[in-house]
């Protein structure tokens, strides 16, 4: 990797390790290999959001042209959010695309992602299904996002109704994640979910 | 007592007067050169923008060249203009 990318990532790594947010356990960063090209990030779900209490893992790939191009970041932990694909974890955030600036760092990227969890932009969606639920059925969106935070990120809220419906589909031989995804997409309408799975 | 100075040798240090300690692009301290150079000083100068932000010249030129559609300061996103001092 180019000289500047490695030396900068090393410095930034130290900067994140020493930062205030680490002390508060709100962000974290780890090396994946010795080449400094791939890192693992972690952000805590912000308080007063459906992601509260969850820990979300991120895949961070540092391009050779860093910091002149942004790092490639994606959620590894499954999450229900209008600007994050519920299928691939791809993120729609301007600073990771056209609005990147060389003065931004891993720390500011992680903090921006945390801010994105607290303030979704449903009019600029990465996941149109989630965005539509957010706009047209906000209370159902909140429940689904909390349920996913519990199922995948260790969040505290359990919903017996969701678990029961997932179990019904599992009894029909459907994989748990697939059952959860289809029910979430169909606004937890068991009949519609079954229909879309078997038609 | 009278002292007669036969010879003397002056020693001086220098430093950049920048409004920050590190270059915001490579994050090396301004006392050092950019990662592409080996010696600080005139070969790896600092430059200032009209917005008052300061970078290694090599770093800001690389940044501006990597941004074909806009020429903005990586710190404050104002249009970048070199401040000729």
């Amino acid at each position: 990797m180019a000289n500047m990318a490695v030396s900068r990532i090393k410095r930034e790594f130290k900067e994140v390790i020493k930062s205030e947010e680490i002390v508060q356990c709100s962000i974290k960063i780890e090396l994946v290999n010795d080449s400094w090209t791939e890192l693992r990030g972690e952000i805590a779900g912000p308080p007063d959001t459906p992601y509260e209490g969850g820990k979300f893992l991120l895949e961070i790939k540092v391009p050779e042209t860093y910091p002149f191009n942004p790092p490639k970041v994606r959620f590894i932990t499954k999450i229900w959010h209008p600007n994050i694909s519920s299928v691939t974890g791809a993120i729609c955030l301007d600073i990771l695309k056209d609005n990147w600036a060389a003065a931004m760092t891993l720390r500011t990227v992680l903090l921006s992602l945390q801010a994105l969890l607290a303030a979704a932009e449903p009019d600029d969606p990465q996941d149109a299904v989630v965005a539509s639920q957010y706009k047209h059925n906000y209370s159902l969106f909140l429940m689904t996002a909390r349920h996913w935070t519990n199922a995948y990120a260790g969040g505290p809220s359990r919903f017996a109704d969701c678990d029961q419906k997932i179990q019904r589909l599992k009894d029909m031989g459907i994989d748990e994640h697939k059952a959860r995804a289809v029910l979430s997409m169909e606004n937890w309408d068991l009949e519609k979910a079954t229909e879309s799975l078997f038609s | 007592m009278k002292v007669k100075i036969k010879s003397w040798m002056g020693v001086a240090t220098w430093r950049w007067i920048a409004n920050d300690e590190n270059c915001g692009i490579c994050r090396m301290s301004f006392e050092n050169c950019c990662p592409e150079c080996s010696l600080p000083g005139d070969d790896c100068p600092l430059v200032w923008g009209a917005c008052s932000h300061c970078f290694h010249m090599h770093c800001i030129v690389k940044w501006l060249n990597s941004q074909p559609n806009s020429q903005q300061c990586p710190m404050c996103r104002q249009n970048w203009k070199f401040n000729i001092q």
Side-chain angles (χ1 to χ4, degrees):
Chain A
M1 190 159 50
N3 203 356
M4 194 187 292
V6 178
S7 66
R8 223 191 92 151
I9 287 292
K10 286 183 180 168
R11 284 169 174 274
E12 284 189 42
F13 198 79
K14 283 186 205 150
E15 187 185 297
V16 179
I17 301 288
K18 277 192 245 157
S19 70
E20 187 100 332
E21 293 85 15
I22 284 275
V23 179
Q24 297 158 356
C25 302
S26 104
I27 63 171
K28 212 163 139 181
I29 197 151
E30 272 168 17
L31 276 177
V32 173
N33 54 29
D34 294 335
S35 70
W36 298 86
T37 52
E38 198 175 332
L39 304 153
R40 195 67 88 234
E42 190 184 291
I43 53 177
D48 303 318
T49 70
Y51 312 104
E52 183 170 11
K55 297 266 185 207
F56 298 88
L57 280 178
L58 298 153
E59 175 189 275
I60 304 169
K61 289 191 171 158
V62 183
E64 259 185 52
T65 49
Y66 186 78
F68 301 104
N69 291 104
K72 293 187 172 66
V73 188
R74 145 188 114 75
F75 275 81
I76 298 172
T77 307
K78 296 198 178 305
I79 183 167
W80 193 253
H81 184 288
N83 306 107
I84 301 158
S85 165
S86 61
V87 182
T88 63
I91 304 164
C92 177
L93 184 63
D94 59 348
I95 62 153
L96 292 176
K97 293 172 185 160
D98 305 336
N99 272 334
W100 169 255
M104 291 173 184
T105 64
L106 294 174
R107 178 176 160 269
T108 59
V109 166
L110 293 181
L111 293 176
S112 300
L113 286 172
Q114 217 171 22
L116 181 69
L117 296 190
E121 291 280 353
D123 291 322
D124 186 17
Q126 178 75 36
D127 193 310
V129 177
V130 183
S132 155
Q133 190 183 68
Y134 183 102
K135 283 166 85 165
H136 303 117
N137 204 336
Y138 187 66
S139 57
L140 209 59
F141 161 80
L142 285 179
M143 183 189 79
T144 310
R146 271 200 203 103
H147 170 73
W148 280 51
T149 303
N150 168 253
Y152 299 114
S157 312
R158 297 202 65 148
F159 296 92
D161 181 53
C162 298
D163 293 339
Q164 267 164 26
K165 286 174 178 164
I166 290 169
Q167 190 55 48
R168 289 281 293 277
L169 290 180
K170 276 171 77 180
D171 292 344
M172 293 182 223
I174 305 294
D175 160 80
E176 176 172 327
H177 173 65
K178 183 144 200 221
R180 180 173 292 116
V182 172
L183 281 162
S184 303
M185 275 164 59
E186 299 292 350
N187 293 329
W188 297 94
D189 184 326
L190 186 58
E191 216 166 289
K192 274 194 188 160
T194 317
E195 211 170 284
S196 96
L197 277 165
F198 292 101
S199 64
Chain B
M1 188 180 75
K2 275 189 182 172
V3 176
K4 199 173 184 183
I5 297 167
K6 287 184 176 166
S7 70
W8 63 282
M9 190 165 62
V11 176
T13 61
W14 66 272
R15 63 185 177 89
W16 295 107
I17 301 175
N19 41 8
D20 212 342
E21 280 183 13
N22 302 314
C23 170
I25 297 175
C26 68
R27 303 200 90 73
M28 301 289 275
S29 84
F30 283 135
E31 306 302 317
N32 290 307
C33 50
C34 83
E36 314 287 307
C37 295
S38 48
L39 285 173
D42 285 344
D43 290 340
C44 187
L46 307 192
V47 288
W48 282 261
C51 57
S52 88
H53 288 117
C54 174
F55 305 94
H56 291 116
M57 183 184 77
H58 298 145
C59 294
I60 189 70
V61 167
K62 257 189 152 180
W63 166 249
L64 295 173
N65 287 341
S66 74
Q67 303 294 300
N69 301 321
S70 64
Q71 301 279 288
Q72 292 175 344
C73 169
M75 288 290 205
C76 63
R77 294 190 199 283
Q78 291 188 60
N79 280 335
W80 178 266
K81 279 199 193 89
F82 284 100
N83 191 2
I84 316 291
Q85 291 191 326

